[in-house]
Amino acid sequence: MRSPRFPLLAFGLVAVADLGSLAAGPGPGHLIAKPLLMPLLAAWAARRGAPRLLVAALLCGWGGDVLLLSDADAAFLAGMSCFAAGHVCYLVLFTRAGPHRARAGLLLACYAAVLTATLVLLVPDLPADLRLPVVCYSALLTAMAWTAAARLGPVAGAGGALFVLSDTLIATGVADWPQPPRPDLWIMLTYVAAQALLARGVLAAPPARTASYQPERTATP
């Protein structure tokens, strides 16, 4: 019988293979490995008794991953929609996790400032047909990242922050800003770490916070 940790081990190996292929340069390795990542992480989460919304968020990420393998504009917008659906799943899940933690207001102000500054600088350099979708998506992504930190704490919070960083790197590439060497490597590294930390943060939440994830049962007289 396979260990419950088998999908996590497989996820780690596939992630290393994917990042290694990106570091080595263009090749088929990324096209093979990338679509396997989120299903493996979702399988591990499901075996750990994860709430359905977490599994749904990870599978939405898988849909976005597959669509973004194409360079077509329609695929980019469809992929963004898949990730947006995943962020909605995360938002609903996180808001069920209990009250805000200390300093949530300060964190909100920081995220709002970063979002505003990024959009002011970035939007004018984006193609006209992408400006509104990127603004809406960025606001949703930022709300997810803040809620992860404010409701679940530092592990999920780090995941949310890395997700913001990963998608910002994508957006700057679309805007034709200067990129670091091997930009796809840094995008995938931050993205894979983000999803893994978000999943870990949900699964590691204290029982008092995860209790509300489960459907209520009414006792029969």
Side-chain angles (χ1 to χ4, degrees), residues 42-55:
W44 170 72
R47 288 191 176 198
R48 292 282 309 273
R52 292 179 181 176
L53 282 171
L54 173 58
V55 176

Side-chain angles (χ1 to χ4, degrees), residues 27-39:
H30 179 59
L31 298 177
I32 296 170
K34 185 180 181 184
L36 299 176
L37 289 166
M38 291 306 109

Side-chain angles (χ1 to χ4, degrees), residues 96-212:
R96 295 177 180 176
H100 290 135
R101 291 174 173 241
R103 300 181 181 176
L106 176 61
L107 188 61
L108 176 60
C110 292
Y111 265 116
V114 170
L115 173 65
T116 302
T118 302
L119 291 179
V120 166
L121 294 171
L122 184 67
V123 167
D125 292 335
L126 292 172
D129 59 334
L130 289 180
R131 290 173 184 172
L132 181 59
V134 167
V135 168
C136 295
Y137 176 84
S138 298
L140 179 60
L141 170 63
T142 303
M144 181 280 292
W146 171 71
T147 309
R151 297 294 183 102
L152 288 184
V155 174
L162 285 172
F163 219 132
V164 171
L165 176 57
S166 180
D167 282 359
T168 301
L169 289 171
I170 294 175
T172 57
V174 174
D176 213 15
W177 284 15
Q179 297 292 294
R182 305 284 189 211
D184 288 345
L185 171 63
W186 302 111
I187 289 168
M188 281 304 298
L189 177 62
T190 50
Y191 167 70
V192 169
Q195 292 280 38
L197 287 169
L198 287 169
R200 186 72 179 177
V202 171
L203 293 172
R209 289 179 172 268
T210 57
S212 59

